[in-house]
Amino acid sequence: MELDRFFFWQDWPADRQKFFFAGCVIAWGLALFMIWSGFYESQERSQSITVRSQQKYLQVQPLVEQLKAGEAARGALVEREPMAAAQQVIRDLGLDSRLTSVRPVQSGAGAGGVQVIFEALNLPEIVYLLRDFKVRGALNVSSISINHRLDSPELADVQITLSR
């Protein structure tokens, strides 16, 4: 084997060699373009994932703050008497305008309790009220009576007996 004939294209005519090298340059450029487009697409995708993550974080952050505040308020009214704890929960929820009656009652074990009567509450308000009685006031529901209103079927009159 001769050293001056080391490359296989040396025996080809000049036109064919020119065409071959032009093809090699185009193939090299195409390979570089494919590598660049892959990196570019990867960067674009990571940016869109980052933006979606930030949007999801902004949606979830207020809920997490509410949960943290709720955990901090858990049992905050335990030291108070049942009557005072129930009144504080009602004030905090803004339901004192619909409160008809609050009166102390004696539960079966001799411990003090409280009976509250509301007019025109909707279902979410009832749920929030019961949750806050349990979580913040450490009050247990002994009995509950829910009566639909005839003038407005989505509202109800509620009578709740609470104790500790």
Side-chain angles (χ1 to χ4, degrees), residues 84-126:
Q87 288 174 337
Q88 184 64 44
V89 167
I90 293 165
R91 267 194 301 272
D92 290 346
L93 290 174
L95 298 176
D96 44 355
S97 64
R98 292 190 236 155
L99 180 65
T100 305
S101 170
V102 179
R103 62 185 177 136
V105 294
Q106 290 290 52
S107 65
V114 63
Q115 182 183 46
V116 292
I117 300 173
F118 293 94
E119 287 184 347
L121 293 181
N122 60 25
L123 183 60
E125 291 170 335
I126 296 170

Side-chain angles (χ1 to χ4, degrees), residues 27-126:
W28 177 252
L30 186 62
L32 288 177
F33 176 75
M34 289 180 6
I35 291 170
W36 174 82
S37 65
F39 284 141
Y40 181 78
E41 181 66 28
S42 168
Q43 180 186 11
E44 289 292 317
R45 186 167 300 190
S46 70
Q47 284 177 349
S48 69
I49 289 171
T50 302
V51 167
R52 277 188 270 137
S53 297
Q54 287 173 344
Q55 289 171 347
K56 192 177 288 185
Y57 174 78
L58 291 175
Q59 289 174 346
V60 171
Q61 183 194 17
L63 298 174
V64 171
E65 294 300 323
Q66 285 179 352
L67 287 174
K68 286 181 181 178
E71 288 295 323
R74 182 175 293 272
L77 304 173
V78 172
E79 305 87 33
R80 294 190 184 182
E81 293 294 321
M83 175 75 82
Q87 288 174 337
Q88 184 64 44
V89 167
I90 293 165
R91 267 194 301 272
D92 290 346
L93 290 174
L95 298 176
D96 44 355
S97 64
R98 292 190 236 155
L99 180 65
T100 305
S101 170
V102 179
R103 62 185 177 136
V105 294
Q106 290 290 52
S107 65
V114 63
Q115 182 183 46
V116 292
I117 300 173
F118 293 94
E119 287 184 347
L121 293 181
N122 60 25
L123 183 60
E125 291 170 335
I126 296 170

Side-chain angles (χ1 to χ4, degrees), residues 7-24:
F7 299 108
F8 63 91
W9 59 79
Q10 288 179 342
D11 292 336
W12 295 352
D15 293 349
R16 195 167 174 199
Q17 285 181 7
K18 196 181 218 183
F19 182 73
F20 173 73
F21 286 119
C24 287

